[in-house]
Amino acid sequence: MTETQQKTKCITLKGSAELVSQYLLYGVNSILYQRGIYPPETFTPSEHFGLFIFTSTDEKITSFLSTVLRQIEEWLVQRKVHKITLVITNVNTKEVLEKWDFKVDYEDQKANGTDGIIKGDLPEVGTKDVKTIQKEIREVIRQITGTVSFLPLLDCLCSFDILTYTVPDCSIPNQWDETQPVFIANSQEVQLRSFSTSLHKMNTVVSYKNT
Amino acid sequence: MSHLRFMKELDNLTRMDDAIKGAIPRWQKKCIEASNLNINHSLNSSKKIASFTSSISGKTPTKKNDCKPKKTPSKYIKKSPSKIPSICTLSSHYSSQDTQRWRQIHSIILQQQNAEQDKDKADKVSPKKREMQRLIGENLHGGDINNARVLSYQIKAPAPPEGYQNPLKVLYSQTKTPASVRASTRYIPQAPDRILDAPEIIDDYYLNLVDWSNNNILAVALGANVYLWNAGTGTIEQLFELEANDYVCSVAWIQEGPCLAVGTTVGNTELWDCSQMKRMRIMNGHVARVGSLSWNSHVLSSGCRSGKIVHHDVRERDHLISTINAHAQEVCGLKWSPDGQYLASGGNDNMLQIWSSIAGQRHSQAQPIYSFNQHQAAVKALAWCPWQNNVLASGGGTADRTIRFWNCNSGKLQKRRFHVKFVEKKDSIFLFVTGVCLNTIDTKSQVCALLWSTNYKEIVSGHGYAQNQLIIWKYPMMTKLAELTGHTSRVLHLAMSPDGTTVLSAGADETLRLWKCFQVDPQKKKESNDIKSVASRLKQSIR
């Protein structure tokens, strides 16, 4: 703990995981809003990361997101998750129309090499301060809202799901289950900006059906 | 029996270390798999083994079958039709919850069967192909998929309500927007008065390529050229052509006189005397293209792709007065208010900033008085209200599609001037709340340009996909008065004739269209002239 006190301005592993899960929350919400998956009147604007972001007010959606993201946050601290995928499927045909991959890289693990696994349980501190990270996140979310201009129209009832790609030895929590990874045949991919908390590096990629 | 062959081949491929050829009994397979897993895990850390065993003991046998993490390809085998009966019999032994889960899995299996049978007919899965597919899979997943476990929360988010339609559809459809067009008493011609060709006009949202001067001369930048079109006589003159790959990014006339400012790709701002057709000076100050320009008397403000705004005093030898880090991305909209009090700047970072001018000076402070982040896309369209100096209209790009109105008056001034009123009349308080968004209107289309009418209390907006139309709105009600269609590609820029009767729209379809949409009724004109003369007399008497 002394280590964290020394670098009070820098981010801790927990804080980093929290920030990443916040990014996912607002990223997913703005995708749901901007892609018109749910009626726009069920969203309210609020300010996060210095941006006006529309978040869903539907109770079921918010509770789904909070449960899933709380679990993901836990896994982020334990370094168990590689990738989080937001899948948008046609409700009637179950066809996957679009997916958003949020890839996680554990940066300190790379630097420390094999020590990472052992060090995993210790509270660690990054080298970046929260302000700069938030600024980077802002840029990515801006890009997400900007994607509307090129993504194809989702002209059907769509629902979404969040898949979590974890390490093989990850235990399955209550009410979670294993599923198949998803693919989009003949897809087009667009890489968005990435950001890093100096502990977690997030890469955002959107894939959509090439029509 | 094709599916059996498929299984066989799959088996061979997934178990290359195995000597056994062909299908093997299930119990035997299980043993082998278990041993494989043990080998894998003994290589890993002890921690991993612990969690693995716990995961096995904590789970139903269904999980045991399904949770072989290293064997994703072999999952397909389990889904083959021959396995289903056994799964069903197994399922009868477990609790109702498990059977439910089995049912879910079963239905998924059934769904996938057809697809798989087709698949194994289609490709005679050669080992090479398999390997390639595996590699592609790895690439798609950004790693070895065999090393990942895909988990999802089982209580899914709800689907949108039945019959719900994606509101973005209006962006993509060619039907007219639903909002009713209010019948107005005024006649607005639906067709353009004139169409001019604008070959090679750059289809770039972030540039500002037309401006109409008080001397009735229209400056248009087409690629590397700047042309001057005399609206009175109809003559066209080429002002200049830039060299190499350089192109013109912005043009702006000085309020009075024949001086034209031109922003270029290399970051220079040039001043041209259009009566002499001569360049007067080149001003540096930027590292990237200058996409927006705005004059305030002798101060020229220029916005750059780097997000900086530079104020140039064009009279001085050292023209550079100040440089402001205004935006995180390209500055695409820049407008001084008509009274020179405020500068509004819009950027590709979705920000709209309001800068107050320094007292007694013609340039702005280095800190914005307001930063508005309500727009969801780049803010290019900016227009100050000609009759309310502190009201600004701004329009956002494709992701935003709204026109917003702002009261930008700086708080102090208002308070002093209206202090008495403020206390007495509580109803009018809202008028004096500054720095707020007064109104928002969703236009259902990218807003590329905005112009206020000087003859009517109206505002005209230029739009992109899908209609590429101009919309005339009644202010402040914001009811649609007319939609002017004709452009076959988005309306990039708008300019107004000095007499305020004609609007020029520059489209990405390489045409300039002139719309006589604000023509004044001759009878009313007389009245307004009378009022004007009275007002001017009043003004003189006050002085």
Side-chain angles (χ1 to χ4, degrees), chain A residues 101 103 143 147 150 188-195 201-207:
Chain A
D101 289 330
K103 292 174 190 164
Q143 276 201 323
T147 53
F150 63 82
Q188 187 87 31
E189 275 190 34
V190 177
Q191 165 95 46
L192 303 186
R193 277 171 196 249
S194 60
F195 75 90
K201 186 173 160 47
M202 295 295 288
N203 251 315
T204 310
V205 179
V206 55
S207 333

Side-chain angles (χ1 to χ4, degrees), chain B residues 330-499:
Chain B
E330 179 157 24
V331 183
C332 47
L334 198 63
K335 283 274 155 66
W336 276 100
S337 65
D339 61 354
Q341 280 288 312
Y342 305 105
L343 174 68
S345 69
N348 194 28
D349 56 356
N350 308 352
M351 296 296 286
L352 168 62
Q353 316 257 35
I354 311 293
W355 313 81
S356 159
S357 68
I358 296 169
Q361 300 285 327
R362 289 295 181 171
H363 61 277
S364 78
Q365 275 153 349
Q367 291 301 320
I369 51 167
Y370 299 113
S371 285
F372 302 121
N373 55 6
Q374 272 86 337
H375 280 292
Q376 297 282 307
V379 186
K380 181 204 171 188
L382 293 174
W384 290 93
C385 181
W387 61 87
Q388 276 177 294
N389 280 334
N390 49 351
V391 171
L392 173 75
S394 64
T398 312
D400 183 61
R401 309 180 294 280
T402 59
I403 300 174
R404 286 171 185 271
F405 295 90
W406 310 91
N407 181 357
C408 300
N409 224 335
S410 62
K412 276 183 196 163
L413 232 160
Q414 281 275 316
K415 223 177 177 180
R416 213 188 309 144
R417 209 189 268 169
F418 294 105
H419 186 71
V420 183
K421 252 190 188 172
F422 195 77
V423 177
E424 279 176 358
K425 256 178 125 182
K426 278 196 173 159
D427 292 348
S428 52
I429 283 177
F430 74 97
L431 271 175
F432 312 120
V433 178
T434 53
V436 290
C437 185
L438 299 169
N439 195 4
T440 312
I441 189 112
D442 187 0
T443 64
K444 318 274 187 203
S445 178
Q446 174 183 40
V447 184
C448 300
L450 279 171
L451 267 186
W452 293 87
S453 164
T454 46
N455 296 340
Y456 297 94
K457 295 248 151 96
E458 286 165 16
I459 186 166
V460 59
S461 55
H463 296 277
Y465 205 73
Q467 294 276 319
N468 309 313
Q469 81 278 45
L470 279 77
I471 304 179
I472 300 173
W473 311 83
K474 187 93 199 137
Y475 182 83
M477 305 299 290
M478 287 313 274
T479 47
K480 263 186 214 175
L481 288 179
E483 284 194 58
L484 308 175
T485 50
H487 277 290
T488 53
S489 190
R490 62 179 173 177
V491 178
L492 287 165
H493 317 287
L494 291 179
M496 189 172 283
S497 64
D499 61 356

Side-chain angles (χ1 to χ4, degrees), chain A:
Chain A
M1 291 309 282
T2 48
E3 208 180 345
T4 47
Q5 275 155 7
Q6 275 168 9
K7 300 177 188 172
T8 37
K9 271 190 183 167
C10 293
I11 195 161
T12 60
L13 180 62
K14 250 192 175 162
S16 162
E18 196 185 317
L19 211 55
V20 170
S21 97
Q22 263 182 22
Y23 159 69
L24 290 171
L25 174 67
Y26 297 120
V28 168
N29 264 304
S30 44
I31 292 166
L32 296 182
Y33 173 77
Q34 295 291 352
R35 303 294 290 127
I37 293 165
Y38 292 97
E41 55 270 19
T42 63
F43 288 80
T44 60
S46 51
E47 206 172 336
H48 305 280
F49 307 117
L51 282 176
F52 264 80
I53 297 172
F54 285 85
T55 48
S56 179
T57 52
D58 187 309
E59 265 177 43
K60 281 180 184 159
I61 297 172
T62 46
S63 76
F64 171 81
L65 285 177
S66 69
T67 324
V68 170
L69 292 176
R70 209 179 309 129
Q71 184 60 54
I72 288 172
E73 195 180 320
E74 210 173 284
W75 280 329
L76 280 168
V77 175
Q78 297 164 358
R79 291 149 210 278
K80 281 191 173 164
V81 53
H82 300 312
K83 187 168 91 171
I84 297 108
T85 302
L86 170 70
V87 189
I88 297 169
T89 44
N90 183 333
V91 169
N92 299 317
T93 63
K94 305 283 176 221
E95 186 191 7
V96 178
L97 299 173
E98 192 175 304
K99 75 185 175 96
W100 292 77
D101 289 330
F102 304 96
K103 292 174 190 164
V104 189
D105 280 325
Y106 299 95
E107 297 213 290
D108 54 327
Q109 211 165 3
K110 256 185 229 161
N112 295 340
T114 47
D115 297 351
I117 300 159
I118 306 155
K119 273 185 121 182
D121 299 323
L122 298 167
E124 285 188 36
V125 270
T127 49
K128 260 186 179 171
D129 77 317
V130 184
K131 277 246 169 85
T132 15
I133 302 165
Q134 284 185 334
K135 206 178 144 206
E136 285 180 28
I137 294 178
R138 183 160 66 223
E139 296 300 311
V140 187
I141 292 184
R142 272 206 189 109
Q143 276 201 323
I144 291 176
T145 51
T147 53
V148 189
S149 49
F150 63 82
L151 290 176
L153 172 69
L154 299 168
D155 195 12
C156 55
L157 276 190
C158 292
S159 69
F160 77 100
D161 196 8
I162 292 177
L163 306 184
T164 318
Y165 293 70
T166 62
V167 291
D169 62 343
C170 180
S171 61
I172 299 174
N174 196 18
Q175 291 182 316
W176 284 65
D177 213 339
E178 236 178 304
T179 56
Q180 291 286 321
V182 293
F183 299 99
I184 302 174
N186 187 22
S187 73
Q188 187 87 31
E189 275 190 34
V190 177
Q191 165 95 46
L192 303 186
R193 277 171 196 249
S194 60
F195 75 90
S196 158
T197 66
S198 72
L199 295 168
H200 299 106
K201 186 173 160 47
M202 295 295 288
N203 251 315
T204 310
V205 179
V206 55
S207 333
Y208 56 96
K209 248 181 83 180
N210 201 2
T211 45

Side-chain angles (χ1 to χ4, degrees), chain B residues 12 61 66 76 86 107 121 153 195 228 247 285 316 322-323 328-329 359 389 400 404 446 467 479 507:
Chain B
N12 290 343
D66 238 21
Y76 286 106
S86 62
S107 67
K121 261 181 225 161
Y153 188 50
I195 301 177
L228 302 175
Y247 57 88
E316 302 279 332
S322 70
T323 304
Q329 287 175 46
N389 280 334
D400 183 61
R404 286 171 185 271
Q446 174 183 40
Q467 294 276 319
T479 47

Side-chain angles (χ1 to χ4, degrees), chain B residues 75-144:
Chain B
K75 264 184 194 160
Y76 286 106
I77 299 167
K78 264 163 253 134
K79 304 265 154 82
S80 67
S82 63
K83 287 285 146 66
I84 294 159
S86 62
I87 289 169
C88 291
T89 50
L90 263 178
S91 66
S92 61
H93 294 285
Y94 306 117
S95 66
S96 61
Q97 202 191 346
D98 286 336
T99 39
Q100 215 173 2
R101 195 175 283 163
W102 267 116
R103 244 173 242 148
Q104 280 173 5
I105 294 169
H106 197 155
S107 67
I108 296 167
I109 292 167
L110 283 173
Q111 269 174 18
Q112 290 192 346
Q113 259 177 39
N114 292 330
E116 262 162 43
Q117 274 173 357
D118 289 347
K119 201 168 129 199
D120 90 25
K121 261 181 225 161
D123 47 43
K124 278 268 151 200
V125 231
S126 70
K128 264 187 190 168
K129 229 178 196 171
R130 270 284 135 199
E131 177 64 14
M132 206 174 84
Q133 280 175 358
R134 190 185 64 81
L135 284 173
I136 289 169
E138 277 179 19
N139 274 331
L140 281 172
H141 280 260
D144 192 358

